[in-house]
Amino acid sequence: MWSTVLLCLMSIFEGFPQKKAASLETREQSESFFEQAVEKAYSIISEHYEDSDYPDKLDFHVTKHSKDIVRRTSLILSTLRLVDPTFVRAEDVKKGEILAAWHDVKQDSYAREVTEGEHTKKMRDRKPQEGEPTNEAKSATQLKEYLDVFDSER
């Protein structure tokens, strides 16, 4: 699953340095952009899946989960950066954090109860209809739209 998420989301950042470099004149502006992009993802998840009447709400796919994924992604990329700073740049770590934050902004699914022995748990069935994009692809599209709006405002 992670490979699907990563491939969908990484495609968004093709041309990112060229498009954004002109917009982000200072390091402070750049840091602010990265922070805003991550916070926007958390805001969307909170609004749509935590603070709403979303019928198939799952305890797992909430901002706490996304923050944990961001933390882990940052740790992995930062460790790779320590080994070889030319392989992973500081900007790549920040991009990874954005991708991680946005990986669950779309959660089209339905919940179903699964009983295993004496325990019943809620599971998410999120298989798209044939020909429809996955949630990861929909999340990637939403991030791309956010980045496009950011570009148009600069």
Side-chain angles (χ1 to χ4, degrees):
M1 181 185 94
W2 267 103
S3 59
T4 304
V5 172
L6 192 57
L7 288 173
C8 288
L9 293 174
M10 283 180 64
S11 66
I12 293 167
F13 281 110
E14 290 179 14
F16 178 90
Q18 296 79 25
K19 289 173 65 178
K20 301 292 180 249
S23 302
L24 306 172
E25 297 166 6
T26 67
R27 181 184 171 119
E28 291 77 22
Q29 286 176 313
S30 179
E31 290 294 321
S32 175
F33 162 73
F34 287 119
E35 290 170 12
Q36 288 174 25
V38 169
E39 288 302 318
K40 180 65 176 178
Y42 296 157
S43 168
I44 291 168
I45 293 166
S46 178
E47 180 182 330
H48 291 279
Y49 305 109
E50 292 174 22
D51 303 333
S52 72
D53 294 328
Y54 183 67
D56 298 328
K57 199 180 294 189
L58 294 175
D59 295 335
F60 186 72
H61 287 271
V62 293
T63 52
K64 181 179 184 284
H65 162 72
S66 292
K67 288 178 180 183
D68 189 46
I69 298 299
V70 169
R71 182 188 59 78
R72 291 177 186 191
T73 299
S74 183
L75 179 63
I76 291 167
L77 292 174
S78 295
T79 302
L80 289 171
R81 180 167 163 65
L82 286 174
V83 173
D84 184 355
T86 63
F87 180 64
V88 176
R89 299 167 298 147
E91 183 178 280
D92 297 327
V93 175
K94 293 297 185 185
K95 287 180 190 177
E97 291 172 356
I98 292 172
L99 296 174
W102 282 77
H103 85 278
D104 266 346
V105 296
K106 287 305 269 182
Q107 299 178 31
D108 295 339
S109 65
Y110 63 91
R112 59 184 168 87
E113 289 188 355
V114 175
T115 302
E116 295 176 356
E118 297 177 16
H119 304 283
T120 300
K121 59 184 175 181
K122 196 188 263 190
M123 298 290 291
R124 179 170 74 158
D125 194 337
R126 57 190 204 112
K127 294 178 185 164
Q129 298 291 331
E130 188 173 327
E132 286 188 25
T134 63
N135 285 334
E136 291 80 11
K138 290 176 185 177
S139 293
T141 298
Q142 194 163 346
L143 173 55
K144 183 177 183 326
E145 290 168 358
Y146 172 78
L147 294 174
D148 288 345
V149 167
F150 176 83
D151 258 355
S152 69
E153 293 175 352
R154 296 283 169 198

